[in-house]
Amino acid sequence: MHSIFETIKSVAFEIDHAIKTADLGYSNSENSSGEDQLKLDVQSDIIIEKAFASVAVVKNLVSEEKEGVLTLNEAGKYTICYDPLDGSSLVDVNLSVGSIFGIYENELQGSNLVASAYVVYGPRIELVIATKGQKPMLYRAIGDTFKEIGSITLDKKGKLNAPGGTQQNWCDYHKTFVDDLFTEGYRLRYSGGMVPDLHQIMLKGGGIFSYPATSDKPHGKLRQLFEVIPFAFMYEQAGGYAINDKGLRLMELIPSHPHDTSPCFFGSKYEINALKTAYGIKN
Ligand code: AFP
């Protein structure tokens, strides 16, 4: 696993350089979810694919930017599912974006995820790595290396509320849930990039990030293998909770297609309990 984390560190510097210098226009293609691909999405994908091509323990790569599974090494042990540049539409307004990596063994499902990592490209580059039985560890880029900063623990109750999607497409009980948190004094913190938004909640003690089922996206927007499950693992390792709109742990999701999405809620104990009450989910 060490070689995988070292590779993620090196691609983080390369992608950061591309963000700062590359063309921000669109490529002439769509990704497998039908979204127009930015040149930066494609470039970040290529950087990651090239870097993992020489890592012997990596068997397969599954990218948010590509359909299907790319086999690199039949003898490898792990499949890495990654979103090379999540939130890339925010680069042209100079907001933070990120890369997400889920490391799986055997079939691609939540229970087979063995580690996850994400990189935040903001005023600084930060990396968080989560492995089984350990609190997620935060690293910050200083010069051309990553320095270990410390482990991350979520408080039992936070102050931040990051509600995804468009209000006009929320169901009534979701709107009530979000409004009630604001009435309790929660602060709105939502940039539209799940990596910096979930990172902020983890580092500031807690709160909730929600991306519900909406009238236009009844299965949610965020992708299980590349976004939802890797962050569910992060939040659980940090002492938080991560469930769908039926109360199922996101770590128990079994996608039937690599690009399947899911409604998702990540947060501290208090906010997830409030969500269960609002959604009528029995414990
Ligand atoms: P892009 O990669 O198209 O910018 O989408 C970002 C994202 O997948 C995720 O990072 C955000 O949390 C989410 O979409 C924001 O979606 P809404 O704008 O619908 O809240």
Side-chain angles (χ1 to χ4, degrees):
M1 202 83 85
H2 179 73
S3 57
I4 294 177
F5 297 141
E6 289 307 302
T7 305
I8 291 174
K9 288 178 185 170
S10 81
V11 299
F13 285 110
E14 277 191 70
I15 293 175
D16 184 67
H17 180 72
I19 292 168
K20 294 197 164 85
T21 55
D23 186 339
L24 297 184
Y26 283 95
S27 65
N28 289 322
S29 50
E30 287 184 345
N31 67 15
S32 18
S33 304
E35 298 161 343
D36 290 332
Q37 280 178 309
L38 288 165
K39 288 182 187 166
L40 253 182
D41 287 321
V42 177
Q43 196 174 335
S44 305
D45 192 27
I46 293 169
I47 289 171
I48 292 172
E49 188 181 314
K50 275 195 184 149
F52 280 118
S54 54
V55 180
V57 291
V58 178
K59 181 174 185 179
N60 300 312
L61 292 180
V62 186
S63 167
E64 197 255 347
E65 295 302 327
K66 284 201 281 281
E67 188 68 45
V69 177
L70 173 72
T71 299
L72 293 177
N73 174 18
E74 279 295 353
K77 187 172 177 191
Y78 302 109
T79 296
I80 303 187
C81 297
Y82 63 98
D83 186 345
L85 199 59
D86 187 78
S88 53
S89 64
L90 300 173
V91 174
D92 61 356
V93 290
N94 210 14
L95 285 175
S96 297
V97 291
S99 303
I100 312 167
F101 302 87
I103 301 152
Y104 298 82
E105 253 185 82
N106 306 315
E107 288 78 35
L108 297 177
Q109 59 189 55
S111 57
N112 287 341
L113 182 128
V114 292
S116 70
Y118 65 86
V119 181
V120 190
Y121 310 99
R124 297 176 178 204
I125 314 173
E126 292 194 332
L127 163 69
V128 180
I129 294 176
T131 51
K132 278 196 173 155
Q134 308 281 329
K135 294 279 182 210
M137 186 58 72
L138 171 67
Y139 300 83
R140 187 168 296 142
I142 314 271
D144 57 3
T145 52
F146 276 96
K147 183 172 179 281
E148 189 175 298
I149 303 297
S151 63
I152 302 174
T153 304
L154 276 164
D155 292 342
K156 297 218 169 349
K157 181 180 188 310
K159 297 187 177 78
L160 305 183
N161 190 8
T166 312
Q167 289 198 35
Q168 66 177 2
N169 298 327
W170 293 348
C171 66
D172 290 347
Y173 50 88
H174 185 71
K175 182 163 169 38
T176 304
F177 164 70
V178 172
D179 288 348
D180 285 353
L181 288 179
F182 287 132
T183 307
E184 271 188 56
Y186 279 75
R187 290 198 166 83
L188 172 65
R189 290 290 182 272
Y190 193 77
S191 72
M194 81 176 293
V195 177
D197 288 339
L198 282 159
H199 186 59
Q200 179 168 202
I201 291 170
M202 292 229 297
L203 293 194
K204 303 247 183 201
I208 187 159
F209 175 101
S210 47
Y211 208 108
T214 56
S215 53
D216 58 335
K217 292 188 175 74
H219 303 292
K221 176 180 183 186
L222 302 178
R223 295 141 187 104
Q224 297 182 25
L225 288 176
F226 320 106
E227 296 170 315
V228 172
I229 295 169
F231 267 111
F233 185 73
M234 282 281 164
Y235 267 60
E236 288 194 352
Q237 296 297 306
Y241 296 80
I243 62 171
N244 71 4
D245 52 355
K246 309 280 181 284
L248 180 81
R249 282 176 63 234
L250 298 170
M251 290 304 296
E252 290 174 30
L253 288 173
I254 305 176
S256 44
H257 181 274
H259 292 269
D260 279 355
T261 59
S262 172
C264 53
F265 305 90
F266 307 86
S268 310
K269 187 172 187 179
Y270 176 86
E271 295 82 9
I272 292 291
N273 281 340
L275 179 99
K276 285 184 178 171
T277 304
Y279 273 65
I281 296 167
K282 306 265 180 292
N283 273 320

